[in-house]
Amino acid sequence: MKNQDVIARIAEISKANPGNLMARHFNADYFTSLNDADQQQLLKICASGTQNPDSSMGAYAMNPNDYDRFAPQLDPMIRDFHGINADIPIKQEHDWDTSRNICDLGAIDARLKDVSMRVRVARNASTFPLPGAMSKQQRVEFEILASSAFDELIKNPEYGGQYLSITPGSPNEISADEYASRVGAHQMFKDMSADPYLNVAGISGDWPYGRGMYVSKDEDFLVWVGEEDHLRIMAMQSGGNLNAMFARLATGLEILGQLLPPFATSPTYGNVTSCPTNLGAGMRASLHMKLPNLTSGGTDLSQLKQEAKNLGLAVRGAGGEHSDAGSDGLVDISPSARLGVTEMQIMQRLYDGAAALWALEIER
Ligand code: ADP
Ligand code: MG
């Protein structure tokens, strides 16, 4: 397609799909002002939303510096998604200090003492292109680099565990059955090659090369390699003590940070991620909660989504993004904001939001 045709196509999408933020904010004047190489790069960034009109963001960065390099196009989209007005400077601060907040879900209701809790941060190495632009060789190279960091974690008695690879021929390669069972256990990521949004962006390219997961011996600290970002570093626990889980992530992240090349950051947007929705803290903290009354027994998420939105929370099905609720009303709730909020604020929002949703649930 010629560039003029792409511009026309994006204009059509913005009319038919007002939720597509790339199309909504596509700046044709800015685009035309760029040289050929920059135009090509920007079209690659916007390809997912151009070929998938129903995208909600519609763009993925290809290189760590894309957000700063193409700010005239990307900044308005980022602000729209994260709810930051044009006249307010974006400021990403960090706070991992758990001593000031007490976030024990059991204090809301004894029935919330054993929910499944997960918190993940997205991180990318500054020394590689982002996953959408990596070659097969770079994917495999990055996995080898990451697994040498995991070797150190495995030697550490606080972590132990193993690295499980799905790269064909890797010394750590696991069987198809084990992969499926780890996906079913909510530990490992799904087959990305089936995802049209990630496909067009190149993020699922060369699947399954360069992909794998570190898991600690207690299975409460995990690291995904080669999903939507180079690394998704997470803690998962069942219980109610959000702070304990958060602290587990903080410590593991600190150790990994010392073993790996510097993570990509932007002076404006904090941690750099493939998807603009994850910029900033790069953190998604979620609970798997059973809310049968608010979901009509798991059959209808629309009302819960509205209530959750008012509380700054997003709702996903129990199998992750784009999945349905469980029949017992099991859903995934997490604070939507990641940029301009600190890590501790995200945890606090999750706690407060869970308390508010639970009050609505038991009142029915
Ligand atoms: P993310 O994009 O934050 O990595 P996804 O929605 O892609 O999250 O989900 C990844 C996996 O994590 C899925 O298997 C999902 O069911 C699981 N998951 C998310 N939150 C929780 C939780 N609180 N407890 C258990 N599993 C969870
Ligand atoms: Mg995801």
Side-chain angles (χ1 to χ4, degrees):
M1 241 198 246
K2 286 218 249 8
N3 284 357
Q4 274 317 326
D5 297 338
V6 181
I7 295 176
R9 166 109 186 91
I10 295 175
E12 275 165 32
I13 295 174
S14 78
K15 288 199 203 99
N17 299 78
N20 183 320
L21 295 186
M22 180 280 297
R24 181 188 297 171
H25 294 285
F26 191 77
N27 185 335
D29 291 339
Y30 167 67
F31 177 79
T32 346
S33 76
L34 298 173
N35 65 32
D36 280 355
D38 282 359
Q39 287 190 353
Q40 285 323 306
Q41 178 75 358
L42 187 52
L43 287 183
K44 223 179 146 194
I45 293 168
C46 297
S48 193
T50 310
Q51 292 185 44
N52 297 291
D54 66 343
S55 297
S56 44
M57 178 50 81
Y60 290 99
M62 296 293 141
N63 278 295
N65 67 355
D66 282 348
Y67 291 105
D68 299 304
R69 180 171 163 206
F70 296 108
Q73 171 61 41
L74 298 174
D75 187 76
M77 298 167 49
I78 294 167
R79 287 174 177 276
D80 190 338
F81 178 84
H82 293 277
I84 306 173
N85 287 341
D87 53 349
I88 295 175
I90 294 178
K91 202 159 160 221
Q92 181 58 47
E93 292 176 326
H94 300 282
D95 175 13
W96 290 87
D97 180 1
T98 53
S99 66
R100 279 172 287 112
N101 306 49
I102 300 166
C103 289
D104 195 339
L105 298 168
I108 300 171
D109 188 321
R111 282 171 282 181
L112 297 179
K113 268 202 294 216
D114 62 350
V115 295
S116 176
M117 311 176 293
R118 175 180 185 262
V119 57
R120 59 85 168 155
V121 289
R123 292 289 186 273
N124 289 283
S126 55
T127 48
F128 283 81
L130 293 172
M134 283 171 112
S135 66
K136 183 174 173 185
Q137 193 189 339
Q138 284 171 323
R139 295 183 202 279
V140 172
E141 241 173 66
F142 181 76
E143 186 188 26
I144 292 170
L145 182 76
S147 60
S148 66
F150 303 139
D151 286 344
E152 295 304 310
L153 278 189
I154 291 165
K155 283 188 225 150
N156 179 335
E158 296 289 316
Y159 292 87
Q162 52 185 325
Y163 181 68
L164 311 172
S165 177
I166 54 171
T167 298
S170 158
N172 301 101
E173 190 181 357
I174 54 172
S175 68
D177 282 352
E178 173 152 23
Y179 169 68
S181 105
R182 297 275 179 180
V183 173
H186 301 286
Q187 291 182 337
M188 182 62 172
F189 48 98
K190 286 185 256 190
D191 182 342
M192 297 154 74
S193 63
D195 184 319
Y197 307 93
L198 299 180
N199 275 343
V200 174
I203 294 176
S204 49
D206 309 307
W207 178 266
Y209 284 86
R211 272 69 177 212
M213 172 180 79
Y214 162 79
V215 53
S216 70
K217 77 174 177 321
D218 295 335
E219 308 203 330
D220 67 343
F221 183 74
L222 302 96
V223 186
W224 291 356
V225 178
E227 203 238 14
E228 196 180 296
D229 292 291
H230 293 155
L231 299 168
R232 288 282 174 98
I233 303 168
M234 68 199 79
M236 277 176 88
Q237 286 175 1
S238 112
N241 189 342
L242 286 172
N243 277 356
M245 173 182 66
F246 186 78
R248 180 77 166 144
L249 173 65
T251 316
L253 178 62
E254 175 82 34
I255 296 177
L256 276 179
Q258 285 159 12
L259 296 168
L260 289 163
F263 295 141
T265 57
S266 144
T268 312
Y269 305 108
N271 291 293
V272 164
T273 52
S274 286
C275 185
T277 59
N278 280 316
L279 288 168
M283 171 179 280
R284 192 173 86 87
S286 62
L287 300 177
H288 269 185
M289 272 177 101
K290 280 184 196 160
L291 300 171
N293 296 335
L294 292 175
T295 60
S296 311
T299 57
D300 181 12
L301 290 184
S302 54
Q303 189 202 342
L304 172 63
K305 281 192 173 168
Q306 193 50 54
E307 299 283 5
K309 198 175 174 196
N310 300 337
L311 297 163
L313 301 174
V315 179
R316 296 180 177 187
E321 202 167 9
H322 310 305
S323 70
D324 295 322
S327 57
D328 48 2
L330 188 71
V331 290
D332 170 329
I333 62 159
S334 63
S336 311
R338 317 205 207 290
L339 179 63
V341 288
T342 70
E343 292 77 7
M344 273 317 288
Q345 282 168 336
I346 292 174
M347 296 306 285
Q348 190 66 48
R349 282 184 194 184
L350 179 61
Y351 180 85
D352 294 343
L357 285 181
W358 186 249
L360 291 173
E361 169 70 18
I362 57 180
E363 164 180 299
R364 283 206 189 202

